[in-house]
Amino acid sequence: MIKGFKDFIMRGNVIDLAVAVVIGAAFTAVVNAIVSSIITPLIEVFWKPDENGVPGIPVPAVWGGTVTFPIGDLISALISFLAVAIVVYFVFVFPMNAWKERQAAKAGVPEDKEEKLPTEQELLIQIRDLLERNDSPTGR
């Protein structure tokens, strides 16, 4: 039972996931700070913040007044996501995959050479031929 648990934990997918979650959560705070202190002021250069301090595109409302579409929040969220994803990939996932490839090469495991699977048309032809054989009087 302990050996099975150890094998489960040492699988690359579990380690990759654990590292990505922990580092992603920690790095998100750093990225959010960068976005709020650098990106948001840059967005405010192009779009004036409304009375609530939200930069975005003001649109006249039907009832009078204006509604601000918070484009700044969208841009900030996209930049935050991309920054976290890039760092997690290049710092953790890419090196882990390279490590796995080196370990597989040391162990002499050949790279996966996938067999070419038959196409849908080839499968249908095989099924037709089998049905014809089963329907024939000789059974062949």
Side-chain angles (χ1 to χ4, degrees), residues 56-101:
I57 301 171
V59 176
V62 175
W63 46 265
T66 60
V67 175
T68 302
F69 285 87
I71 193 80
D73 292 343
L74 175 64
I75 292 171
S76 297
L78 288 173
I79 291 171
S80 295
F81 171 77
L82 288 174
V84 170
I86 288 169
V87 168
V88 167
Y89 178 77
F90 284 110
V91 173
F92 297 102
V93 175
F94 184 75
M96 183 67 139
N97 289 340
W99 178 78
K100 285 181 192 176
E101 289 174 8

Side-chain angles (χ1 to χ4, degrees), residues 27-136:
F27 188 69
T28 299
V30 173
V31 171
N32 287 338
I34 291 170
V35 168
S36 66
S37 62
I38 296 173
I39 304 300
T40 301
L42 286 175
I43 292 170
E44 290 177 359
V45 167
F46 299 101
W47 288 292
K48 181 180 176 187
D50 65 2
E51 61 275 354
N52 297 326
V54 177
I57 301 171
V59 176
V62 175
W63 46 265
T66 60
V67 175
T68 302
F69 285 87
I71 193 80
D73 292 343
L74 175 64
I75 292 171
S76 297
L78 288 173
I79 291 171
S80 295
F81 171 77
L82 288 174
V84 170
I86 288 169
V87 168
V88 167
Y89 178 77
F90 284 110
V91 173
F92 297 102
V93 175
F94 184 75
M96 183 67 139
N97 289 340
W99 178 78
K100 285 181 192 176
E101 289 174 8
R102 283 194 308 274
Q103 294 302 319
K106 285 181 186 177
V109 177
E111 290 186 23
D112 293 336
K113 293 184 180 180
E114 295 182 26
E115 294 180 19
K116 182 183 171 198
L117 296 175
T119 64
E120 185 177 342
Q121 184 177 12
E122 292 169 338
L123 288 173
L124 289 171
I125 290 170
Q126 291 174 4
I127 292 170
R128 182 200 63 202
D129 294 344
L130 286 171
L131 288 172
E132 285 176 354
R133 274 190 241 143
N134 288 341
D135 287 341
S136 69

Side-chain angles (χ1 to χ4, degrees), residues 2-15:
I2 299 294
K3 183 183 182 312
F5 180 72
K6 179 184 171 194
D7 292 343
F8 170 73
I9 293 298
M10 294 309 291
R11 260 193 261 163
N13 295 344
V14 174
I15 293 171

